[in-house]
Structure formats: C-alpha cells, structure tokens
Amino acid sequence: MTYDPTGHLLLTPVDREAPVRVQRLRQLGLGDRPDPAFDEFAHKLAEVTGAPYSMVNFIDENRQFFAGLHTPAGTHSGSDLPGAAGGDVSRFMARDHGYCPHVVVRRKALVLEDVCDYPRFAGNPVVDEIGIRSYLGAPLIDRTGIALGTICVVDTEPRPWGRAGLETIKTLAAELIEQIHRREDSRL
C-alpha cells in the first residue's frame, strides 16, 4: 500500500512493470488504437457473462486503453460508456480509475460482486463518475511473462459472479492471449 506525501492512502497500486509492458505492447502493435478483433472479443465477453459492458484493456504508465469495447448499445465509437451524470468516458481512462490496474499489478483475476462492499474499491472514481457497481476481470499475461492488460466485464448493478464467473473470465483471458500470440507469430 502506498501513501502520497500528505499521508493519504493511494488506492491504485504502484506498477513497476509498466515500462517493460509499454515496450512489449509497442512490439506487439497493441494499446494505442481500437481493434475490430478485440471489439468482437469484448462482445463475446458480454454475451458469455451477460454483462452490459466489457473491455479488452491495455495499460501503460499513465492510462488504460480499451482496444476492445462492448456497451449495451453495441456501439464502439470510442466515447460511448455513459457516465452517471450523463457524461461519457472514452476508450481512454486514467490509470487511477477502475480496477484493471489492480489486476495487472496483482497478476490475478479480481471478482467484485458489489464494489461498495470493499472500502478500498468503493472510493474509486468509476463508482460515482460512471456508476460501476460490479467488476470481473483477469490479467492478460503473455508468453514473456508480462501482464499486458486485462479483459473485464462491469455492470451498474451488483452481480453474483461467483466461482463460475471467475473460471469463465480466466478461461477467456487465456483464449485471448492465444489469439495475441497467433497474431504475433503470423507477423514473424
């Protein structure tokens, strides 16, 4: 756990692997533009889990990028996640917003059936700004051992993801990593 100079608890974990991750993402050509294959994968995530929102998320030192995005409207314009106050969130999100940075640093899947049940996560800006109430995410760890990002699903209502949800998200993360590896191999 980290504290800022004023003694306040910082909720986003320190990410020492970020520079290496950025280098690997560049090598793979990922993390800076929407990708139709990842949008399709995000749609599959939503279908399989029944979640209204799903993402394929790559994380650098300062931000998160949703290379794959599914919303209830099924659109992928890049600014279609409705905010609680009527605003929008683009395919980019600050690194200290959301739960995916925790998944990347921990290198483990995270299940939050109701984020408000967890003081560490209830204060995250996405709760008030976007209305997120539940989260299910898994890391995308590639063959070099680097956590590139995550896949995740979120809902504006509490969700009982349970063990089945956990196993599903982990299986789908492994499936997407294989897709990324095949893409890399075809470029060699």
Side-chain angles (χ1 to χ4, degrees), residues 1-165:
M1 198 57 59
T2 319
Y3 294 86
D4 71 14
T6 63
H8 291 96
L9 179 67
L10 296 177
L11 299 178
T12 304
V14 174
D15 184 359
R16 297 188 201 310
E17 192 176 68
V20 176
R21 176 181 318 106
V22 170
Q23 184 178 20
R24 179 70 172 140
L25 287 170
R26 285 188 186 129
Q27 180 183 29
L28 293 168
L30 301 174
D32 61 356
R33 65 188 174 282
D35 186 308
F38 294 149
D39 280 341
E40 288 176 32
F41 197 87
H43 178 73
K44 177 181 177 175
L45 282 168
E47 277 189 340
V48 169
T49 63
Y53 299 95
S54 57
M55 298 112 201
V56 174
N57 185 8
F58 298 111
I59 301 173
D60 67 21
E61 293 105 328
N62 304 307
R63 67 181 186 186
Q64 304 174 67
F65 177 70
F66 305 125
L69 176 65
H70 174 82
T71 67
T75 59
H76 309 289
S77 69
S79 60
D80 50 5
L81 288 175
D88 291 327
V89 175
S90 73
R91 283 187 186 253
F92 294 96
M93 184 180 287
R95 193 180 163 283
D96 62 349
H97 284 52
Y99 310 106
C100 291
H102 295 270
V103 172
V104 166
V105 170
R106 291 170 19 129
R107 304 171 64 84
K108 293 182 183 178
L110 179 62
V111 179
L112 300 171
E113 294 182 346
D114 186 342
V115 298
C116 294
D117 289 344
Y118 304 89
R120 179 177 187 179
F121 297 117
N124 195 285
V126 297
V127 175
D128 292 331
E129 292 175 17
I130 305 171
I132 300 302
R133 284 295 300 275
S134 60
Y135 172 92
L136 177 64
L140 295 170
I141 301 173
D142 82 341
R143 64 178 76 163
T144 66
I146 296 172
L148 302 173
T150 68
I151 59 170
C152 69
V153 293
V154 297
D155 201 336
T156 55
E157 302 292 329
R159 292 280 301 259
W161 304 110
R163 187 160 226 28

